[in-house]
Amino acid sequence: MASTPEGGETGSVAVLFSPARTRLVLSGELDDAVEQELTTAVLECRAAAAPVDVDVRTVAFIDSTGAAHLAQLAQSLPVRVIQPPDSVRFLLTVTGLAAQVEILEDCPAFPE
């Protein structure tokens, strides 16, 4: 991850696939700098058509665009959010996403 001009870490987006689940791994600061990566990742998750675990354990910041992508994902697939930090948990609550996703306090093993 690279540093942003404000001193934070640029976000990163990765998608892992298994026959049973998809894992969307998000980290750092998720803002307009990673919007295209996030858009592509959400499309890949939707195309896989498997339930999605969103790993946000190391997310430092997520903007409204990132929240909108999570909402799109939750509207089309079952979504579990893994160990959200307080800032992400707050975002999920104020946007109403907490009622649309399952919040996991433990990180499940990723199926092979």
Side-chain angles (χ1 to χ4, degrees):
M1 269 186 270
S3 291
T4 64
E6 295 80 30
E9 290 185 356
T10 301
S12 69
V13 178
V15 183
L16 307 172
F17 299 97
S18 80
R21 298 198 77 78
T22 301
R23 182 165 292 184
L24 176 58
V25 182
L26 307 175
S27 64
E29 294 188 1
L30 302 171
D31 54 21
D32 60 342
V34 295
E35 199 239 329
Q36 186 57 50
E37 290 175 72
L38 190 53
T39 298
T40 301
V42 168
L43 290 172
E44 290 173 354
C45 289
R46 292 173 76 182
V52 180
D53 291 340
V54 182
D55 185 345
V56 295
R57 293 177 289 170
T58 59
V59 169
F61 170 80
I62 186 168
D63 68 6
S64 59
T65 302
H69 284 298
L70 291 178
Q72 289 174 349
L73 198 55
Q75 289 175 356
S76 58
L77 295 167
V79 173
R80 303 188 305 186
V81 178
I82 301 170
Q83 296 176 319
D86 290 342
S87 60
V88 175
R89 192 178 297 266
F90 176 76
L91 178 75
L92 294 172
T93 301
V94 298
T95 60
L97 280 170
Q100 297 177 16
V101 301
E102 181 181 354
I103 296 176
L104 301 178
E105 300 304 330
D106 295 311
C107 182
F110 187 68
E112 303 265 335

